[in-house]
């Protein structure tokens, strides 16, 4: 493939992967600030316990989104930048670890494993700031 603005395809994909990583970090930072802001408002209105539940649920969702973006960066880097057998194996391990983390966070946020959530009601996620009893 021809050079684009003096960059080879591999260099361009490395920059794209770095962009995804930077975006993932930005999502985490903005999400933390947003979660803290919402939790502070809930704390003033309803008290500590609802605020604690809200920040866990909100920031847990942010962590899940951040993990997905970082996995995308790893995929781009592995497939487009250095597609060796070793890098694909490392990517596989990273994806397994991050999938386990995502799954664990999902259970922590929802309080139930995904396949049980569908049996307990509509299966849809509710308002992250809503209390389970109301």
């Amino acid at each position: 493939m021809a050079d684009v603005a003096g960059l080879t395809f591999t260099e361009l994909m490395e920059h794209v992967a770095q962009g995804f990583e930077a975006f993932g970090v930005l999502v985490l930072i903005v999400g933390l600030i947003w979660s803290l802001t919402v939790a502070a408002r809930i704390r003033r209105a309803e008290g500590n316990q609802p605020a604690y539940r809200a920040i866990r649920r909100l920031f847990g969702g942010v962590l899940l989104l951040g993990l997905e973006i970082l996995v995308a960066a790893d995929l781009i880097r592995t497939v487009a930048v250095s597609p060796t057998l070793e890098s694909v194996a490392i990517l596989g391990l990273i994806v397994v670890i991050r999938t386990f983390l995502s799954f664990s966070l999902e259970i922590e946020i929802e309080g139930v494993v995904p396949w049980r959530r569908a049996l307990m009601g509509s299966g849809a996620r509710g308002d992250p700031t809503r209390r389970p009893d109301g």
Side-chain angles (χ1 to χ4, degrees):
M1 184 176 270
D3 287 350
V4 177
L7 295 175
T8 65
F9 177 75
T10 302
E11 292 169 338
L12 179 63
M13 288 300 105
E14 179 62 33
H15 290 301
V16 169
Q18 289 173 349
F20 269 84
E21 288 173 339
F23 181 64
V25 170
L26 181 66
V27 164
L28 292 172
I29 292 168
V30 171
L32 175 61
I33 293 167
W34 176 67
S35 299
L36 290 170
T37 302
V38 170
R41 288 181 182 168
I42 292 173
R43 183 173 183 253
R44 280 193 297 269
E46 300 180 34
N48 289 339
Q49 194 65 7
Y52 174 74
R53 284 193 301 265
I55 197 165
R56 281 187 53 167
R57 191 169 176 95
L58 292 170
F59 191 63
V62 168
L63 284 174
L64 287 171
L65 179 59
L67 279 173
E68 295 301 325
I69 294 168
L70 293 172
V71 166
D74 288 337
L75 284 168
I76 291 167
R77 182 170 285 114
T78 300
V79 173
V81 176
S82 59
T84 64
L85 188 57
E86 181 181 348
S87 65
V88 170
I90 291 170
L91 173 66
L93 183 60
I94 289 169
V95 168
V96 166
I97 291 168
R98 288 189 176 164
T99 300
F100 176 75
L101 286 172
S102 294
F103 186 73
S104 299
L105 280 169
E106 185 80 22
I107 292 171
E108 186 71 23
I109 292 167
E110 296 294 327
V112 65
V113 291
W115 55 88
R116 298 285 297 165
R117 182 176 52 235
L119 298 174
M120 295 177 67
S122 66
R125 292 184 187 177
D127 177 9
T129 61
R130 187 172 80 62
R131 296 197 331 237
D133 59 344

